[in-house]
Amino acid sequence: MKIAMEQSYLPVVQERLAEHELVCFDNRTASREEVLAKAADADVMMFRWPLTFEVDAGFVAALPNLKL
């Protein structure tokens, strides 16, 4: 399972999710395009507010594998 997550989660969950592919981004500086590129085939996405962009229907539609 591929998990895209905001980097501040990493220290806490890295060991627990070691069997999964983790990709990280910084929600304070990453653009919408950067996050979509990293999460392109992610199954799960975890982030914290505030983001530098809107999470709208177009954002979700660009992530077809997203389950959570």
Side-chain angles (χ1 to χ4, degrees):
M1 180 180 304
K2 183 173 181 178
I3 302 171
M5 60 189 223
E6 202 280 319
Q7 67 185 13
S8 66
Y9 288 111
L10 193 57
V12 176
V13 301
Q14 190 170 21
E15 185 176 314
R16 291 184 180 173
L17 299 175
E19 70 275 8
H20 300 287
E21 179 184 357
L22 303 177
V23 293
C24 297
F25 58 90
D26 184 341
N27 70 326
R28 295 163 297 163
T29 60
S31 70
R32 178 182 176 114
E33 293 76 24
E34 290 172 313
V35 172
L36 285 173
K38 287 189 173 199
D41 56 349
D43 300 293
V44 175
M45 184 165 212
M46 298 167 42
F47 52 84
R48 296 179 182 183
W49 299 107
L51 295 169
T52 59
F53 54 85
E54 294 290 322
V55 174
D56 55 17
F59 182 85
V60 176
L63 301 169
N65 292 345
L66 208 59
K67 296 166 185 60
L68 179 64

